[in-house]
Amino acid sequence: MSETGGTGTAGRKGAGTRTAPGAGSPRERYRTQVRAEIKERAWEQIADAGASALSLNAIAKRMGMSGPALYRYFGSRDELITELIRDAYRDLADTFRADADNGRGDAEDGTGTASGADLASLAHAMRRWARADPHRYFLVFGTPVPGYHAPDDVTGIASEIMAALLDACAKLPARTSAEVDDQPFDRHIKAHGQWAGEHPATPAQLHRALSFWTRLHGVLSLELAGHFTGMGFDAEAFFEAELEGLLAPA
Amino acid sequence: MSETGGTGTAGRKGAGTRTAPGAGSPRERYRTQVRAEIKERAWEQIADAGASALSLNAIAKRMGMSGPALYRYFGSRDELITELIRDAYRDLADTFRADADNGRGDAEDGTGTASGADLASLAHAMRRWARADPHRYFLVFGTPVPGYHAPDDVTGIASEIMAALLDACAKLPARTSAEVDDQPFDRHIKAHGQWAGEHPATPAQLHRALSFWTRLHGVLSLELAGHFTGMGFDAEAFFEAELEGLLAPA
DNA sequence: TTTCGTTAGTTATAGCTTCTAACTGAAGCG
DNA sequence: CGCTTCAGTTAGAAGCTATAACTAACGAAA
């Protein structure tokens, strides 16, 4: 079990076990510890060669035990991947929330400009998170894995992310008041915006949050997939330009 | 070799063999025919369960021959996938070109409005192409496959696609003349726009083409991956809204 | 302290995959 | 007509997921 190496760097990226670390019987404690190490090795493999190269066998051997032992901890390869996806999603939500909290602090200090600082900060946090581990980003937002179906609790996590986004959108200067909520899609979303949950956001804000998500994902996804390499321009500069367009009141 | 079924539905999606069908010796002709059928079965498998589920063995068995025979036609699984990606790319370029040619015809007929009709038509062609086979779209623009590196000729195909895009962008009404090419990224792209090849496009047009690509990809990618399901709004309406924003002169 | 159930880990095995090696048979070409 | 080339075969190595059966150790309870 590689007692020394073990979970030495546990809690990588803060996406470790959500259960309390020192809880329950010693057996249970050991169990959560091994589960955590398995996930860690899994993340290593994913960071190296992507999710499709994840091998339970290789993980087991690198942990000093033999193949089928892992099936005591994860019912199947898909179950492990599902849990990794959920952890990644969770980590992104935490990142967004942390960034939102920081932003609120700055605003109260009077240092941050009110116009779009929060949304821009969120965008940069998103880009940082994506570039920190591209494979993790693709695991969440990339090509869907064949047999995977999102468990129920990810919708809750997605709501958290959306809430942080909507909060930032609410702090933006509104569009010219004449055309607020008057675009065709704004009217559509007024009737189909239940995904915002209880958030008191205007249709225009929902629209803006959606655009934020899809536009930045469009840039990040293609950048991380390497579709910009060889084109010569600076991906970061383009990202900033897109963000700029997103913050513009028009 | 399933003589009857054979390449009955050959040339699926028009992305079949690029080599002339009845060329060379009978052996060579047979060879290209078998290669085409292999690709066809491969596309079937990909359409069913994605590229990761593509199995040479299964293809061979479904063609009535046993596993290793396929290695006469494709050196490896990766080589087959690479060729499929290139074919898909090729097909998208043809789709774009066909759409651009149609648009030009309409414009000369005087039926089409001049403002952004071409770009909108291209956007709809792109969405149609993506939704016709989501797995194919993800094969080209989705999570990069582990060992894959784009062959040299895809840059040429990408140039074709970009050329069609830039042509459409050139037909758009320019932005307010005061700020043309004066955005920070426009200035950046003026120095780093060699990816346009010989196309006589202004920096603002290059910028718009890039935004077109990334914004629509952002919507399509998330829509096809199922990230909108359960949110309740209409993906097509949102796509149209994004397109609208893309066509706006601001 | 001894007993006894739970459980972690093992090996063996089935069935799948890619891919290599050696061989057979037939088709094309001179 | 004969030689050569090549398609397709079977056999097999190495890897994967996953299941089944078994062993051994641990923890709690009598």
Side-chain angles (χ1 to χ4, degrees):
Chain A
M1 280 309 310
S2 69
E3 200 72 37
T4 64
T7 51
T9 58
R12 167 190 183 265
K13 285 170 190 153
T17 61
R18 199 70 177 167
T19 60
S25 63
R27 269 224 166 115
E28 208 168 318
R29 191 162 42 184
Y30 177 75
R31 188 175 175 77
T32 66
Q33 195 172 332
V34 174
R35 273 178 71 93
E37 186 179 350
I38 292 174
K39 285 199 209 172
E40 228 172 288
R41 307 288 177 183
W43 278 120
E44 289 173 16
Q45 284 200 2
I46 287 178
D48 282 354
S52 63
L54 191 150
S55 155
L56 293 189
N57 236 321
I59 292 175
K61 273 181 185 159
R62 215 170 285 186
M63 285 176 68
M65 59 190 195
S66 261
L70 295 202
Y71 287 82
R72 295 273 174 210
Y73 299 94
F74 295 95
S76 71
R77 197 188 106 117
D78 274 10
E79 191 182 311
L80 172 58
I81 291 186
T82 295
E83 206 152 313
L84 293 176
I85 291 178
R86 209 197 36 204
D87 285 357
Y89 227 89
R90 171 82 263 151
D91 190 67
L92 178 60
D94 291 345
T95 301
F96 263 41
R97 179 153 294 280
D99 185 89
D101 290 349
N102 276 356
R104 192 175 311 147
D106 287 355
E108 286 174 351
D109 287 351
T111 56
T113 66
S115 66
D118 287 352
L119 206 53
S121 174
L122 233 45
H124 293 135
M126 181 170 167
R127 182 156 196 270
R128 231 176 299 122
W129 189 85
R131 288 169 56 92
D133 189 345
H135 289 295
R136 181 182 53 175
Y137 182 83
F138 282 123
L139 198 59
V140 175
F141 292 118
T143 308
V145 297
Y148 171 76
H149 279 289
D152 298 344
D153 56 345
V154 305
T155 69
I157 302 176
S159 298
E160 279 185 48
I161 295 177
M162 264 302 162
L165 218 59
L166 288 171
D167 284 343
C169 286
K171 290 184 184 173
L172 272 178
R175 306 174 177 197
T176 52
S177 58
E179 59 178 357
V180 163
D181 303 346
D182 210 34
Q183 286 193 2
F185 186 69
D186 287 359
R187 264 171 308 182
H188 170 83
I189 218 172
K190 196 178 306 192
H192 303 91
Q194 61 272 32
W195 48 274
E198 317 209 330
H199 197 101
T202 70
Q205 286 163 355
L206 293 173
H207 187 173
R208 175 113 61 172
L210 222 46
S211 276
F212 178 95
W213 181 26
T214 60
R215 284 180 74 165
L216 298 192
H217 167 72
V219 180
L220 284 176
S221 160
L222 291 173
E223 174 192 358
L224 297 180
H227 283 283
F228 294 161
T229 63
M231 295 184 82
F233 68 88
D234 181 23
E236 182 172 357
F238 180 57
F239 182 87
E240 294 299 329
E242 278 297 295
L243 177 55
E244 201 66 32
L246 218 30
L247 296 177
Chain B
M1 278 307 307
S2 68
E3 203 70 39
T4 63
T7 51
T9 58
R12 170 190 182 266
K13 287 169 189 151
T17 62
R18 200 69 177 168
T19 59
S25 63
R27 269 218 166 123
E28 208 166 321
R29 190 163 40 184
Y30 177 74
R31 188 176 175 77
T32 66
Q33 194 172 334
V34 174
R35 273 179 70 95
E37 185 179 352
I38 292 174
K39 285 200 209 171
E40 226 172 292
R41 307 289 177 183
W43 277 121
E44 288 173 15
Q45 285 200 3
I46 287 178
D48 280 354
S52 63
L54 192 150
S55 156
L56 293 188
N57 236 320
I59 292 174
K61 273 181 186 159
R62 213 169 288 186
M63 285 176 68
M65 60 190 192
S66 261
L70 295 202
Y71 286 82
R72 297 267 174 210
Y73 300 94
F74 294 95
S76 71
R77 197 188 105 119
D78 274 10
E79 192 180 310
L80 172 57
I81 290 185
T82 296
E83 206 152 313
L84 293 176
I85 291 178
R86 209 197 38 204
D87 286 357
Y89 227 90
R90 171 81 264 150
D91 189 68
L92 178 60
D94 291 345
T95 301
F96 262 42
R97 179 154 295 280
D99 184 89
D101 290 350
N102 276 357
R104 191 176 309 146
D106 287 353
E108 285 174 352
D109 287 350
T111 54
T113 68
S115 65
D118 288 353
L119 206 54
S121 174
L122 232 46
H124 292 135
M126 181 170 167
R127 182 157 197 268
R128 229 176 301 123
W129 189 82
R131 287 170 56 94
D133 189 344
H135 290 295
R136 180 182 56 175
Y137 182 82
F138 282 123
L139 197 60
V140 175
F141 292 118
T143 308
V145 297
Y148 171 75
H149 279 291
D152 298 345
D153 55 344
V154 306
T155 69
I157 302 176
S159 298
E160 279 185 49
I161 294 176
M162 264 300 163
L165 219 57
L166 288 171
D167 285 343
C169 286
K171 289 185 184 173
L172 272 179
R175 306 174 177 200
T176 54
S177 58
E179 60 177 355
V180 164
D181 301 347
D182 209 32
Q183 285 193 359
F185 185 69
D186 286 0
R187 266 172 306 183
H188 169 84
I189 218 171
K190 196 178 303 190
H192 302 90
Q194 62 271 33
W195 49 274
E198 317 209 332
H199 196 101
T202 69
Q205 284 163 357
L206 293 174
H207 187 170
R208 174 116 58 176
L210 222 46
S211 277
F212 178 94
W213 182 25
T214 60
R215 284 179 74 164
L216 297 191
H217 167 72
V219 180
L220 283 176
S221 160
L222 291 174
E223 174 192 357
L224 297 181
H227 282 282
F228 294 161
T229 61
M231 296 184 82
F233 67 89
D234 182 25
E236 182 172 357
F238 180 58
F239 182 87
E240 295 299 331
E242 277 298 296
L243 176 57
E244 201 66 30
L246 218 31
L247 296 177

